[in-house]
Amino acid sequence: MNGHLQADELLMIVAIACYIFGALALLVYFFSREEWLRNLGAPLAIVGCAAQFAQLFVRWELTGIWPLLNLYGSLSLFAAMSVLIFIIMAWRYKAWYAGGFVLALAAIALAYGVTWNEGTMPAVPSLQSYWAKIHVPIVVSSYAAFLVAFVFSVIYLIKYYAEDLFEGKGILAAMSERGTRLSPEYAVASAALADAGLPTPPPYNIRQDTPAIDAAAASGNSTATWLQSLPSLAQLDVIVYRAVAIGLPLISIGIITGAAWAKEAWGAYWQWDPKETAALATWIVYLAYMHLHTRNNWRGLRTNWVSVLGFAVVIFTYLGVNIWISGLHSYKV
Amino acid sequence: MVERLDSYYTDFVRTFGNVLFAVSLFLVWGVLTMIGVIVDQGKDPSIYFGSYPAPIARAILRLNFDNIYHSPWYIGIIALILTSLTVCTFKRVIPARLPPLRPVKIDKIPLHASFELAGDERSVRERVEAFFRARGWQLRKREFDGTEWTFADKHNWARRGVLVAHIGFVIIAAGTTLYWARGFSGETVVVTGQAVEIPQTKAILRLDNFGYSITPVLTKGGMVYQPTDYVSHVTVTGNDGVPKNMTVRVNHPIDVDQTLYYQASYGFAMRFRVTHNGKDVPALSQRVLMEGENFDIPGTRLNVAYDRFVPTVDRQSGMPSADPRVNDPAVIMTVSDGGAQAGSAIVPLHTWVDLGGGWKVVPSNYLLYSGFQYRYDPGVPLVGIGALVLVCGLLISFYFLPARLYARIDSTTGGRCTVGMAATTVKGYDMFETQFRGLVSEFSAEAS
Ligand code: HEM
């Protein structure tokens, strides 16, 4: 093993360590909201992500082989892109509280990926194509965006069902409730301007979509206070939508570039190969998500369940098909 | 009669124009697609009976789940989705996405704010309009019942994003249908030095030479023989009757009169020298056999099958090794007598097998053959354009949020005005809440 390979392994260890410690810090931050934990976890996420990209680059540089042609490289990019997309969203929506879950999932993906590291191998002829450099990163990035959507959907669902519990419904009643709480209840605050023209109170409307949690928090319930510190359900839903809005175009482009590649390598742009077909099923689930999201009374509870289901299909497409079903797309020779 | 038709039509439009109906269709489409991932496609019925309990295997075959993507179910669901998409586009999307300018009840819209500003109506309106114009909003004014309304639109053009996405899908479907109607595909195998005629195009494909590269790699799991290149040198005679030398590689197909030829597989054809009492039997010796083919020994009940080529035999064990390069080649042959298997053996090249009765068989030399797929698909340009249009539609829909602001200005007493502002978007209110909040605070800061 040469010095470069050691650098590659060192970077991988740095990344996994950053993700594990970052996940711990941000998970505790999720519950405690201690600022210093966020200030520790966020840089760890950034350093881990940077180390991962550096590792992929070093590996490419030293072997001369595009590093994403096996499950090890691909899972590595999946982890890195999940964290990158999360960092962008966390920065944009002040959403570091969700980082513990994303980093933990990234660390698991990475650790699992390492078990597939078979060393360096030249690519089989069908993988020797410039499309490998386009198609694989796009598809993997779409999966990463869906991971981020999944994490925020889970947080949405936690808050949603917690509201039901605070309303006094039993857990089963809460789970079986069919309605949605997203038809927004806005507290109307009309603005009266002083002569100077300044608004008092704020001239926009504040939504209260978890009144039971808010009431319990006001009477000092600590769990409710914690839940209240999460964004409103509507805001969480918007974040999920934004993540899907990254993932859906990416998976569409991923399927299209895959089809273009298949046309070059196998003779037909669509062969109904299990991997491409499973990707189509994933696309369909998120298409359903997006269409449900256009309806006011389906937006929220149901769309977030679809996002959770969607991520299960992503995992099946990404790993399940490779492990259980053989086809043209298998990473193995 | 007309009334009944009318009510059918209304029901049809109501059902197919409903997004939840479309989502249910997506669900069925997704489930059918997944069934095809899980159940092996296009296999022999015996494979299903081997892998599943008999009732399930029977159901798979009866319901066409063994060839689901070409089954009536699958084609039917896509047809229903296309119908629903068309109805929805005309009955829902266009009216909902391109609403006329209308007055609204400001405080009934969740995103609303009102301000009181000093100044007469005209000057306040100018301030409101200047504010939005400076931020790239498109302004329009209309009078309703004596009250003047100002409408400000952002990304109004992007209201058509859904239409673009929907049209993209329809174009893809049209491209796929064109292949079904006019395209064809097939596979052919050509032995080195021989030529084949492609039935659909009458093109002649001669394989001059085939080569492959294998790189042995030592991995943690042991030695892996990784193929790194397959290349066929061919002479092709197309419509113009002029033979041309071309090279076909994986990922580098050739185009002959718009039909594309792809490198798909390779293998080893064999010549077996057959002698009877020491004399060559040319009719058998000149035959070239593919793996899996066999021949009868004349005047006997014997049959010789060429099962498989073994590129390298392990010298110690005498068994086939994993090395796919030709080092110590052999063939696996099976001899049967009257239909019953008499024996099977790994026979090194140039060594003979005595069949008895004066018959001997020698695997004498191998010839590489190359497998090609060919395909003529006139739908490809349409599918490509459709895919591009679809992605543009998705990007427009997701990244350009069309929003409309309604501003109503009413004068109150003392030279002051109330400004009522409300905002709607095509994706509900939550999506625009932060921006609206930002606009309102900026406006109030600027107005003050
Ligand atoms: C199968 C391929 C389809 C694709 C790729 C597609 C794509 C899209 C996209 C990108 C949007 C915009 C969503 C947003 O802005 O959040 C949309 C909205 C919509 N789609 Fe589709 N769609 C498809 C099928 C259908 C079908 C079958 C229907 C029939 C009901 C339908 C009805 C609608 C409606 C009603 C909207 C929302 C319009 C609105 O309320 O503003 N779509 N679609």
Side-chain angles (χ1 to χ4, degrees), chain B residues 28-74:
Chain B
V28 178
W29 184 23
V31 169
L32 290 179
T33 304
M34 262 308 176
I35 289 175
V37 175
I38 293 161
V39 176
D40 261 355
Q41 294 294 289
K43 294 279 183 300
D44 192 72
S46 60
I47 306 264
Y48 301 101
F49 281 99
S51 327
Y52 300 96
I56 296 185
R58 260 195 300 278
I60 287 175
L61 294 170
R62 203 162 293 157
L63 295 171
N64 290 132
F65 285 179
D66 59 329
N67 190 14
I68 196 164
Y69 303 119
H70 300 96
S71 67
W73 320 120
Y74 207 81

Side-chain angles (χ1 to χ4, degrees), chain B residues 372-400:
Chain B
F372 299 96
Q373 272 200 12
Y374 56 90
R375 190 176 176 92
Y376 168 67
D377 187 346
V380 167
L382 268 186
V383 172
I385 292 169
L388 204 75
V389 172
L390 173 68
V391 170
C392 288
L394 289 176
L395 293 177
I396 296 171
S397 300
F398 290 154
Y399 292 100
F400 299 91

